[in-house]
Amino acid sequence: SSELTQDPAVSVALGQTVRISCQGDSLRRYYASWYQQKPGQAPVVVIYDKKRPSGIPDRFSGSSSGNTASLTITGAQAEDEADYYCNSRDTSGNLYVFGGGTKVTVL
Amino acid sequence: EVQLVESGGGLIQPGGSLRLSCAASGFTVNTNYMSWVRQAPGKGLEWVSVIYTGGSAYYGDSVKGRFTISRDNSKNTLYLQMNSLRAEDTAVYYCARDGTTVGTFDIWGQGTMVTVSS
């Protein structure tokens, strides 16, 4: 198995840029995916394999280097306030793993 | 429309059993990697189990030996049989599809709540 580590919380001023990171050994081999979850709702994928699914605003972008993946929100909007989770395959490739989540507050 | 609909959650006593169902529409469960993911109240997402297209199944350490994932191709439905339930299994249980095969859950159900309490 393996673990993914995220900062618990970050804040960003309206219209500014915020970067959320996700660290783990499995990210050296597997792409990270990023999910947005608002209260009472199921998660929604916003970035996978550094790509954006259709319908996701282009202010969301993903990058990675070594054992760290990042989600960047450029020009954060009020509706971006949510919990964000990363995930990937684990180091064995058979299981999945999630990060602990980052709460993003838009000020 | 591509969607997943879970059912079967409820209140169950510790040590009891429960079976969750996840009905798929718009795609077939046996041609996709299908998982269960849970979220305890106020906590983060925890991957629980996966069944691959070939039928291989894997489990997280916290449920191994107690939970069993399966599917019924004729009903296009995914299941999670949960035995020996504990208070710490209390959570919203989501079924999710890894439609990309790179570890991304692209389709999620709305979730079903399981409460383990006496």
Side-chain angles (χ1 to χ4, degrees):
Chain A
S1 185
S2 58
E3 295 182 351
L4 297 177
T5 301
Q6 297 181 242
D7 291 331
V10 296
S11 61
V12 58
L14 185 67
Q16 296 304 300
T17 296
V18 63
R19 175 176 288 188
I20 306 165
S21 66
C22 173
Q23 286 189 305
D25 288 342
S26 62
L27 300 180
R28 296 185 184 278
R29 182 176 180 184
Y30 299 104
Y31 288 113
S33 303
W34 290 93
Y35 305 86
Q36 177 191 71
Q37 187 181 36
K38 296 181 179 179
Q41 298 182 17
V44 173
V45 57
V46 294
I47 292 288
Y48 72 98
D49 191 8
K50 292 182 279 188
K51 303 171 187 173
R52 266 180 297 107
S54 61
I56 300 302
D58 61 5
R59 61 180 178 272
F60 291 90
S61 62
S63 62
S64 67
S65 178
N67 73 335
T68 302
S70 300
L71 172 70
T72 300
I73 309 174
T74 303
Q77 302 299 303
E79 60 265 31
D80 299 335
E81 187 163 289
D83 294 324
Y84 291 84
Y85 296 90
C86 61
N87 98 292
S88 78
R89 297 297 188 105
D90 82 328
T91 51
S92 76
N94 293 320
L95 313 182
Y96 296 76
V97 61
F98 281 95
T102 299
K103 182 176 182 60
V104 172
T105 300
V106 180
L107 304 173
Chain B
E1 181 187 6
V2 174
Q3 68 173 357
L4 295 166
V5 178
E6 301 96 336
S7 61
L11 175 64
I12 187 76
Q13 291 189 340
S17 297
L18 206 58
R19 190 179 80 158
L20 305 182
S21 301
C22 171
S25 56
F27 71 98
T28 54
V29 295
N30 64 333
T31 61
N32 286 271
Y33 302 166
M34 299 297 299
S35 276
W36 289 94
V37 177
R38 70 183 181 182
Q39 186 170 36
K43 302 298 184 182
L45 301 172
E46 179 188 12
W47 174 79
V48 172
S49 179
V50 62
I51 184 166
Y52 289 109
T53 52
S56 299
Y58 294 87
Y59 302 90
D61 289 342
S62 61
V63 306
K64 199 177 302 181
R66 300 187 299 124
F67 290 11
T68 303
I69 192 171
S70 63
R71 65 190 180 212
D72 184 328
N73 298 340
S74 66
K75 295 182 179 179
N76 205 27
T77 298
L78 179 73
Y79 300 100
L80 186 68
Q81 177 67 43
M82 304 185 295
N83 298 330
S84 303
L85 283 161
R86 307 166 180 168
E88 53 265 37
D89 295 319
T90 295
V92 174
Y93 285 73
Y94 297 99
C95 61
R97 182 186 82 170
D98 176 359
T100 67
T101 72
V102 296
T104 301
F105 299 115
D106 60 343
I107 304 295
W108 294 70
Q110 85 287 355
T112 187
M113 182 71 202
V114 172
T115 302
V116 184
S117 175
S118 55

Short mmCIF file of all heavy atoms in Angstrom, two decimals, chain B residues 2-42:
data_model
loop_
_atom_site.label_atom_id
_atom_site.label_comp_id
_atom_site.label_asym_id
_atom_site.label_seq_id
_atom_site.Cartn_x
_atom_site.Cartn_y
_atom_site.Cartn_z
N VAL B 2 -25.39 8.28 -18.29
CA VAL B 2 -24.47 7.48 -17.49
C VAL B 2 -24.66 7.82 -16.03
O VAL B 2 -24.49 8.99 -15.65
CB VAL B 2 -23.02 7.74 -17.92
CG1 VAL B 2 -22.06 7.00 -16.99
CG2 VAL B 2 -22.79 7.32 -19.36
N GLN B 3 -25.04 6.85 -15.22
CA GLN B 3 -25.20 7.12 -13.80
C GLN B 3 -25.11 5.86 -12.96
O GLN B 3 -25.23 4.75 -13.46
CB GLN B 3 -26.51 7.86 -13.51
CG GLN B 3 -27.76 7.07 -13.71
CD GLN B 3 -29.01 7.84 -13.23
OE1 GLN B 3 -28.92 8.96 -12.69
NE2 GLN B 3 -30.17 7.26 -13.43
N LEU B 4 -24.87 6.10 -11.67
CA LEU B 4 -24.81 5.04 -10.67
C LEU B 4 -25.76 5.40 -9.54
O LEU B 4 -25.78 6.56 -9.09
CB LEU B 4 -23.39 4.91 -10.11
CG LEU B 4 -22.31 4.45 -11.10
CD1 LEU B 4 -20.92 4.70 -10.52
CD2 LEU B 4 -22.49 3.00 -11.45
N VAL B 5 -26.53 4.42 -9.08
CA VAL B 5 -27.49 4.66 -8.00
C VAL B 5 -27.31 3.59 -6.94
O VAL B 5 -27.56 2.41 -7.18
CB VAL B 5 -28.93 4.66 -8.52
CG1 VAL B 5 -29.90 4.88 -7.34
CG2 VAL B 5 -29.14 5.73 -9.57
N GLU B 6 -26.87 4.04 -5.75
CA GLU B 6 -26.66 3.12 -4.64
C GLU B 6 -27.93 2.95 -3.82
O GLU B 6 -28.79 3.85 -3.78
CB GLU B 6 -25.55 3.62 -3.71
CG GLU B 6 -24.19 3.83 -4.32
CD GLU B 6 -23.95 5.26 -4.73
OE1 GLU B 6 -24.94 5.98 -4.97
OE2 GLU B 6 -22.78 5.68 -4.81
N SER B 7 -28.01 1.82 -3.14
CA SER B 7 -29.11 1.56 -2.22
C SER B 7 -28.64 0.53 -1.20
O SER B 7 -27.58 -0.09 -1.37
CB SER B 7 -30.34 1.05 -2.96
OG SER B 7 -30.06 -0.15 -3.64
N GLY B 8 -29.44 0.36 -0.15
CA GLY B 8 -29.15 -0.68 0.83
C GLY B 8 -28.58 -0.21 2.15
O GLY B 8 -28.40 -1.01 3.07
N GLY B 9 -28.30 1.07 2.25
CA GLY B 9 -27.76 1.58 3.51
C GLY B 9 -28.82 1.62 4.60
O GLY B 9 -30.01 1.40 4.34
N GLY B 10 -28.36 1.86 5.83
CA GLY B 10 -29.30 1.95 6.94
C GLY B 10 -28.58 1.82 8.26
O GLY B 10 -27.35 1.88 8.34
N LEU B 11 -29.37 1.64 9.31
CA LEU B 11 -28.86 1.47 10.67
C LEU B 11 -28.71 -0.01 10.97
O LEU B 11 -29.65 -0.78 10.78
CB LEU B 11 -29.80 2.13 11.67
CG LEU B 11 -29.48 1.96 13.15
CD1 LEU B 11 -28.14 2.63 13.48
CD2 LEU B 11 -30.60 2.54 14.00
N ILE B 12 -27.54 -0.42 11.43
CA ILE B 12 -27.27 -1.81 11.71
C ILE B 12 -26.46 -1.90 12.99
O ILE B 12 -25.64 -1.02 13.28
CB ILE B 12 -26.51 -2.48 10.53
CG1 ILE B 12 -26.36 -3.98 10.72
CG2 ILE B 12 -25.19 -1.81 10.30
CD1 ILE B 12 -27.62 -4.73 10.45
N GLN B 13 -26.71 -2.95 13.78
CA GLN B 13 -25.99 -3.12 15.03
C GLN B 13 -24.58 -3.64 14.78
O GLN B 13 -24.32 -4.33 13.77
CB GLN B 13 -26.74 -4.10 15.93
CG GLN B 13 -28.06 -3.57 16.46
CD GLN B 13 -28.67 -4.47 17.52
OE1 GLN B 13 -28.35 -5.65 17.61
NE2 GLN B 13 -29.56 -3.91 18.32
N PRO B 14 -23.66 -3.34 15.69
CA PRO B 14 -22.30 -3.89 15.55
C PRO B 14 -22.33 -5.41 15.46
O PRO B 14 -23.10 -6.07 16.16
CB PRO B 14 -21.62 -3.43 16.85
CG PRO B 14 -22.35 -2.20 17.24
CD PRO B 14 -23.78 -2.43 16.85
N GLY B 15 -21.50 -5.94 14.57
CA GLY B 15 -21.47 -7.38 14.33
C GLY B 15 -22.42 -7.83 13.24
O GLY B 15 -22.35 -8.99 12.81
N GLY B 16 -23.30 -6.95 12.82
CA GLY B 16 -24.29 -7.32 11.82
C GLY B 16 -23.76 -7.27 10.40
O GLY B 16 -22.58 -6.98 10.16
N SER B 17 -24.65 -7.59 9.46
CA SER B 17 -24.30 -7.63 8.04
C SER B 17 -25.26 -6.77 7.24
O SER B 17 -26.41 -6.57 7.63
CB SER B 17 -24.37 -9.07 7.51
OG SER B 17 -23.44 -9.90 8.16
N LEU B 18 -24.76 -6.29 6.11
CA LEU B 18 -25.55 -5.45 5.23
C LEU B 18 -25.01 -5.63 3.82
O LEU B 18 -23.80 -5.82 3.64
CB LEU B 18 -25.41 -3.99 5.66
CG LEU B 18 -26.51 -2.97 5.35
CD1 LEU B 18 -27.84 -3.42 5.95
CD2 LEU B 18 -26.12 -1.60 5.88
N ARG B 19 -25.90 -5.57 2.83
CA ARG B 19 -25.46 -5.62 1.45
C ARG B 19 -25.87 -4.36 0.73
O ARG B 19 -27.06 -4.02 0.68
CB ARG B 19 -26.01 -6.84 0.70
CG ARG B 19 -25.37 -7.02 -0.67
CD ARG B 19 -25.88 -8.23 -1.43
NE ARG B 19 -27.17 -7.96 -2.08
CZ ARG B 19 -27.65 -8.66 -3.11
NH1 ARG B 19 -26.92 -9.65 -3.63
NH2 ARG B 19 -28.84 -8.38 -3.62
N LEU B 20 -24.89 -3.67 0.17
CA LEU B 20 -25.15 -2.48 -0.62
C LEU B 20 -25.24 -2.85 -2.10
O LEU B 20 -24.53 -3.76 -2.55
CB LEU B 20 -24.04 -1.45 -0.43
CG LEU B 20 -23.73 -1.02 1.00
CD1 LEU B 20 -22.65 0.05 1.01
CD2 LEU B 20 -24.99 -0.54 1.72
N SER B 21 -26.07 -2.14 -2.81
CA SER B 21 -26.21 -2.33 -4.25
C SER B 21 -25.91 -1.03 -4.97
O SER B 21 -26.12 0.06 -4.42
CB SER B 21 -27.63 -2.78 -4.61
OG SER B 21 -27.97 -3.99 -3.98
N CYS B 22 -25.45 -1.14 -6.20
CA CYS B 22 -25.16 0.01 -7.04
C CYS B 22 -25.58 -0.31 -8.46
O CYS B 22 -24.92 -1.11 -9.14
CB CYS B 22 -23.67 0.35 -6.97
SG CYS B 22 -23.13 1.61 -8.15
N ALA B 23 -26.69 0.25 -8.87
CA ALA B 23 -27.22 -0.01 -10.20
C ALA B 23 -26.63 0.97 -11.20
O ALA B 23 -26.68 2.19 -10.97
CB ALA B 23 -28.74 0.10 -10.19
N ALA B 24 -26.09 0.44 -12.28
CA ALA B 24 -25.48 1.27 -13.30
C ALA B 24 -26.41 1.41 -14.49
O ALA B 24 -27.14 0.48 -14.84
CB ALA B 24 -24.15 0.68 -13.74
N SER B 25 -26.35 2.57 -15.13
CA SER B 25 -27.07 2.77 -16.38
C SER B 25 -26.19 3.59 -17.32
O SER B 25 -25.38 4.39 -16.88
CB SER B 25 -28.41 3.48 -16.15
OG SER B 25 -28.23 4.69 -15.48
N GLY B 26 -26.34 3.32 -18.61
CA GLY B 26 -25.56 4.03 -19.61
C GLY B 26 -24.21 3.41 -19.91
O GLY B 26 -23.50 3.88 -20.80
N PHE B 27 -23.84 2.37 -19.17
CA PHE B 27 -22.61 1.63 -19.41
C PHE B 27 -22.74 0.29 -18.68
O PHE B 27 -23.67 0.09 -17.90
CB PHE B 27 -21.37 2.39 -18.93
CG PHE B 27 -21.24 2.49 -17.43
CD1 PHE B 27 -20.43 1.60 -16.73
CD2 PHE B 27 -21.95 3.43 -16.71
CE1 PHE B 27 -20.31 1.67 -15.35
CE2 PHE B 27 -21.85 3.51 -15.34
CZ PHE B 27 -21.03 2.63 -14.66
N THR B 28 -21.80 -0.63 -18.93
CA THR B 28 -21.88 -1.94 -18.30
C THR B 28 -20.79 -2.08 -17.24
O THR B 28 -19.62 -1.75 -17.46
CB THR B 28 -21.73 -3.07 -19.33
OG1 THR B 28 -20.53 -2.87 -20.07
CG2 THR B 28 -22.91 -3.08 -20.30
N VAL B 29 -21.16 -2.61 -16.08
CA VAL B 29 -20.22 -2.71 -14.97
C VAL B 29 -19.12 -3.72 -15.25
O VAL B 29 -18.00 -3.56 -14.77
CB VAL B 29 -20.93 -3.06 -13.64
CG1 VAL B 29 -21.87 -1.94 -13.24
CG2 VAL B 29 -21.68 -4.38 -13.72
N ASN B 30 -19.42 -4.76 -16.04
CA ASN B 30 -18.41 -5.80 -16.22
C ASN B 30 -17.33 -5.41 -17.23
O ASN B 30 -16.35 -6.16 -17.38
CB ASN B 30 -19.06 -7.12 -16.62
CG ASN B 30 -19.75 -7.07 -17.98
OD1 ASN B 30 -20.19 -6.01 -18.41
ND2 ASN B 30 -19.81 -8.20 -18.66
N THR B 31 -17.47 -4.29 -17.90
CA THR B 31 -16.42 -3.83 -18.82
C THR B 31 -15.67 -2.62 -18.25
O THR B 31 -14.93 -1.94 -18.97
CB THR B 31 -16.98 -3.48 -20.20
OG1 THR B 31 -17.94 -2.43 -20.07
CG2 THR B 31 -17.62 -4.70 -20.85
N ASN B 32 -15.89 -2.36 -16.98
CA ASN B 32 -15.22 -1.24 -16.30
C ASN B 32 -14.67 -1.70 -14.96
O ASN B 32 -15.14 -2.67 -14.37
CB ASN B 32 -16.21 -0.09 -16.07
CG ASN B 32 -16.53 0.67 -17.34
OD1 ASN B 32 -15.87 1.62 -17.72
ND2 ASN B 32 -17.58 0.22 -18.03
N TYR B 33 -13.66 -0.97 -14.48
CA TYR B 33 -13.16 -1.18 -13.13
C TYR B 33 -14.11 -0.46 -12.19
O TYR B 33 -14.30 0.76 -12.29
CB TYR B 33 -11.76 -0.60 -12.95
CG TYR B 33 -10.70 -1.13 -13.88
CD1 TYR B 33 -9.47 -0.46 -14.00
CD2 TYR B 33 -10.87 -2.28 -14.64
CE1 TYR B 33 -8.47 -0.92 -14.83
CE2 TYR B 33 -9.87 -2.74 -15.48
CZ TYR B 33 -8.68 -2.06 -15.57
OH TYR B 33 -7.68 -2.52 -16.41
N MET B 34 -14.70 -1.19 -11.25
CA MET B 34 -15.70 -0.62 -10.36
C MET B 34 -15.25 -0.69 -8.91
O MET B 34 -14.76 -1.73 -8.46
CB MET B 34 -17.03 -1.36 -10.51
CG MET B 34 -17.64 -1.29 -11.90
SD MET B 34 -18.07 0.38 -12.41
CE MET B 34 -19.27 0.84 -11.15
N SER B 35 -15.41 0.40 -8.19
CA SER B 35 -14.96 0.49 -6.81
C SER B 35 -16.05 0.96 -5.87
O SER B 35 -17.05 1.53 -6.29
CB SER B 35 -13.79 1.48 -6.69
OG SER B 35 -12.56 0.92 -7.00
N TRP B 36 -15.81 0.70 -4.58
CA TRP B 36 -16.55 1.32 -3.50
C TRP B 36 -15.59 2.24 -2.76
O TRP B 36 -14.44 1.86 -2.49
CB TRP B 36 -17.12 0.29 -2.54
CG TRP B 36 -18.25 -0.51 -3.12
CD1 TRP B 36 -18.18 -1.71 -3.75
CD2 TRP B 36 -19.63 -0.13 -3.14
NE1 TRP B 36 -19.43 -2.11 -4.16
CE2 TRP B 36 -20.34 -1.16 -3.80
CE3 TRP B 36 -20.34 0.98 -2.67
CZ2 TRP B 36 -21.73 -1.12 -3.98
CZ3 TRP B 36 -21.72 1.03 -2.85
CH2 TRP B 36 -22.40 -0.02 -3.51
N VAL B 37 -16.08 3.43 -2.44
CA VAL B 37 -15.32 4.43 -1.70
C VAL B 37 -16.23 4.91 -0.57
O VAL B 37 -17.42 5.10 -0.79
CB VAL B 37 -14.94 5.62 -2.60
CG1 VAL B 37 -14.21 6.71 -1.79
CG2 VAL B 37 -14.07 5.16 -3.77
N ARG B 38 -15.69 5.09 0.62
CA ARG B 38 -16.53 5.54 1.72
C ARG B 38 -15.99 6.81 2.35
O ARG B 38 -14.83 7.18 2.17
CB ARG B 38 -16.68 4.44 2.78
CG ARG B 38 -15.41 4.13 3.58
CD ARG B 38 -15.67 2.97 4.53
NE ARG B 38 -14.49 2.65 5.33
CZ ARG B 38 -14.44 1.65 6.21
NH1 ARG B 38 -15.49 0.85 6.38
NH2 ARG B 38 -13.33 1.44 6.90
N GLN B 39 -16.87 7.47 3.09
CA GLN B 39 -16.52 8.73 3.75
C GLN B 39 -17.22 8.78 5.09
O GLN B 39 -18.44 8.94 5.15
CB GLN B 39 -16.90 9.91 2.88
CG GLN B 39 -16.44 11.25 3.41
CD GLN B 39 -16.63 12.37 2.39
OE1 GLN B 39 -17.60 12.38 1.63
NE2 GLN B 39 -15.70 13.31 2.36
N ALA B 40 -16.46 8.63 6.16
CA ALA B 40 -17.01 8.75 7.50
C ALA B 40 -17.44 10.19 7.75
O ALA B 40 -16.90 11.12 7.13
CB ALA B 40 -15.98 8.31 8.53
N PRO B 41 -18.39 10.41 8.63
CA PRO B 41 -18.89 11.76 8.89
C PRO B 41 -17.76 12.72 9.23
O PRO B 41 -16.97 12.47 10.15
CB PRO B 41 -19.83 11.57 10.07
CG PRO B 41 -20.30 10.15 9.94
CD PRO B 41 -19.13 9.39 9.41
N GLY B 42 -17.65 13.81 8.47
CA GLY B 42 -16.65 14.83 8.71
C GLY B 42 -15.23 14.44 8.35
O GLY B 42 -14.29 15.18 8.65
#
